[in-house]
Amino acid sequence: MADVPKHRGHVVSKAKVNAFFPTLGNEDYNLSASVKNYRSYFNLPGKGFTSSSGSERFYDFVIGRVHFFMLDSNPREPKGVSAKSAQARWLKRALASSEIELERGGRAPSAIQSCQFGLSRYMRWPYKKWGADLVLTGHAHVYERIVQGGLTYISDGLGGGGMHQFASPVAGSKVRFNSDFGAMRGVRAGKQAHV
């Protein structure tokens, strides 16, 4: 964060709503001032959105008929990262009370993936049972789509940095890619999300 200039002024001030929804990453925690910089730089979920969490470390927002939940999965998260943590209890309540047709369990390190880098087994929360329709992650520098227990998990971390290698495919792995950089585009059609 220290190397990211503040983009303020006429460009940001004219935006009617926020279009950038970050979460703290391991590099933010690894640099001593970065968490403070993150919290002072961003106002999340941002202009035009409200959140039920009362936190900028983990929060939710709605775009159209899609409800996004952004999680802080770093073990240094003060509210915890276990399935019984304050953060998890918030997510469970928020998913249960959501009136939106498609809930996306937002950004979290990969709890299930074939790449060993960034694998965070402690984040294997019961997302499906709590009401999530999709879990998106981005820590590992790979793309992988996995379906387990009726829930789709997508790891999409090919936006920068060196690419990571895959190990043997985990159960339910449908697509794996790590040979070039890229981004993911999601489209909602009815009650289905296509990514």
Side-chain angles (χ1 to χ4, degrees):
M1 290 293 307
D3 297 332
V4 178
K6 289 195 175 207
H7 296 286
R8 302 218 186 268
H10 72 284
V11 175
V12 173
S13 65
K14 289 184 180 181
K16 293 187 189 318
V17 296
N18 184 31
F20 186 65
F21 302 94
T23 58
L24 283 162
N26 58 305
E27 297 303 334
D28 296 309
Y29 279 102
N30 291 341
L31 300 170
S32 61
S34 287
V35 173
K36 181 181 174 191
N37 291 341
Y38 169 92
R39 296 187 75 206
S40 67
Y41 184 83
F42 295 110
N43 177 19
L44 299 170
K47 193 174 183 182
F49 296 95
T50 59
S51 173
S52 64
S53 74
S55 173
E56 288 185 290
R57 293 172 177 272
F58 54 92
Y59 57 95
D60 63 322
F61 59 94
V62 175
I63 296 178
R65 295 185 304 174
V66 180
H67 198 157
F68 292 86
F69 299 86
M70 310 302 281
L71 304 176
D72 181 357
S73 53
N74 192 290
R76 292 174 273 188
E77 162 55 45
K79 300 282 185 175
V81 292
S82 76
K84 296 182 185 217
S85 66
Q87 179 180 200
R89 290 191 308 271
W90 161 77
L91 178 64
K92 182 179 179 181
R93 282 190 311 271
L95 283 166
S97 65
S98 178
E99 297 178 7
I100 304 298
E101 294 173 350
L102 180 64
E103 287 82 26
R104 294 178 122 172
R107 192 314 192 173
S110 303
I112 299 171
Q113 66 184 25
S114 299
C115 175
Q116 294 304 303
F117 177 84
L119 184 61
S120 303
R121 287 183 175 89
Y122 56 85
M123 290 300 293
R124 288 187 181 167
W125 299 355
Y127 299 108
K128 180 73 173 172
K129 180 179 176 184
W130 292 351
D133 298 303
L134 176 66
V135 176
L136 303 173
T137 69
H139 187 62
H141 300 177
V142 299
Y143 175 87
E144 184 171 25
R145 185 170 8 121
I146 300 166
V147 178
Q148 283 190 4
L151 185 61
T152 300
Y153 298 81
I154 296 177
S155 181
D156 182 31
L158 291 174
M163 284 160 273
H164 296 128
Q165 298 301 308
F166 285 110
S168 298
V170 296
S173 180
K174 303 296 183 191
V175 178
R176 297 172 5 139
F177 179 79
N178 66 343
S179 59
D180 201 359
F181 298 105
M184 180 175 63
R185 178 175 183 238
V187 177
R188 182 185 180 279
K191 292 186 178 183
Q192 297 291 316
H194 304 280
V195 291

